[in-house]
Amino acid sequence: MEKVKLPIKVDPARCANKRLDYQGVYAAELMPRLAESTQGIHGDIDASLSFGTDAQGLRVMTGHARAQIALQCQRCNELFDTTIESEFTYTPLRRDAEAPELPEAYETFEADEFGEVNLVEIIEDELILALPLVPAHENEHCAEGKYDLSYGDIPEAEERPNPFAILEELKRK
């Protein structure tokens, strides 16, 4: 399958009205903040975007982004390759507009003076947010992972009677 370069800016209202879907790649050079946050980006960033209207009549952009990156393990200081992924849903707002009652999963973005949004910035932000807080190899692949030891077994917690069970009985009467 051929890798299609995605547009950098789009008009989300027009795209939502036409129910457009985009699937393709962004060049790693377009995301300098992600490159600074990692030890390097391997290849292009894969992204898929769908524009449409939800049940409330809000214009929405849903998407998925994936990047192959190198990180430095915080246990052994060696580099390792990993994949980061992010799924997101956005709805556009006009400048100085008050946000309507939005579903919890929706984020908002403001369009510029031409009604366009920068998709590269949005996807770069999402991938930065998907970075692990403490990058580390899996224990079996890390030189220092063998030192992560636990001694003994944690005992199962005993079942205790609920002290408020008597209140339930009173409530039923």
Side-chain angles (χ1 to χ4, degrees), residues 67-113:
Q68 297 284 334
I69 59 169
L71 294 173
Q72 185 174 13
C73 178
Q74 297 300 301
R75 287 188 288 208
C76 67
N77 289 327
E78 296 293 324
L79 294 182
F80 69 99
D81 294 334
T82 188
T83 301
I84 54 172
E85 296 186 65
S86 179
E87 291 191 21
F88 47 88
T89 303
Y90 283 90
T91 186
L93 287 181
R94 290 186 209 117
R95 288 196 186 272
D96 303 324
E98 200 170 300
E101 193 68 32
L102 296 175
E104 195 173 304
Y106 287 18
E107 295 290 332
T108 60
F109 56 76
E110 285 187 7
D112 64 10
E113 62 273 3

Side-chain angles (χ1 to χ4, degrees), residues 47-168:
S48 62
L49 302 165
S50 295
F51 294 86
T53 307
D54 70 355
Q56 292 180 337
L58 295 171
R59 294 178 177 131
V60 294
M61 174 186 78
T62 58
H64 179 265
R66 177 184 311 133
Q68 297 284 334
I69 59 169
L71 294 173
Q72 185 174 13
C73 178
Q74 297 300 301
R75 287 188 288 208
C76 67
N77 289 327
E78 296 293 324
L79 294 182
F80 69 99
D81 294 334
T82 188
T83 301
I84 54 172
E85 296 186 65
S86 179
E87 291 191 21
F88 47 88
T89 303
Y90 283 90
T91 186
L93 287 181
R94 290 186 209 117
R95 288 196 186 272
D96 303 324
E98 200 170 300
E101 193 68 32
L102 296 175
E104 195 173 304
Y106 287 18
E107 295 290 332
T108 60
F109 56 76
E110 285 187 7
D112 64 10
E113 62 273 3
F114 303 111
E116 296 179 329
V117 295
N118 189 324
L119 294 177
V120 173
E121 289 178 2
I122 292 171
I123 291 174
E124 185 177 29
D125 289 343
E126 288 293 328
L127 290 173
I128 289 171
L129 289 172
L131 290 171
L133 291 176
V134 181
H137 289 101
E138 295 295 326
N139 278 347
E140 53 271 359
H141 300 294
C142 185
E144 299 295 320
K146 62 186 174 193
Y147 299 116
D148 280 351
L149 302 176
S150 61
Y151 298 99
D153 294 325
I154 298 174
E156 295 270 336
E158 294 180 20
E159 280 290 324
R160 292 189 215 162
N162 185 350
F164 298 104
I166 191 74
L167 293 176
E168 274 187 35

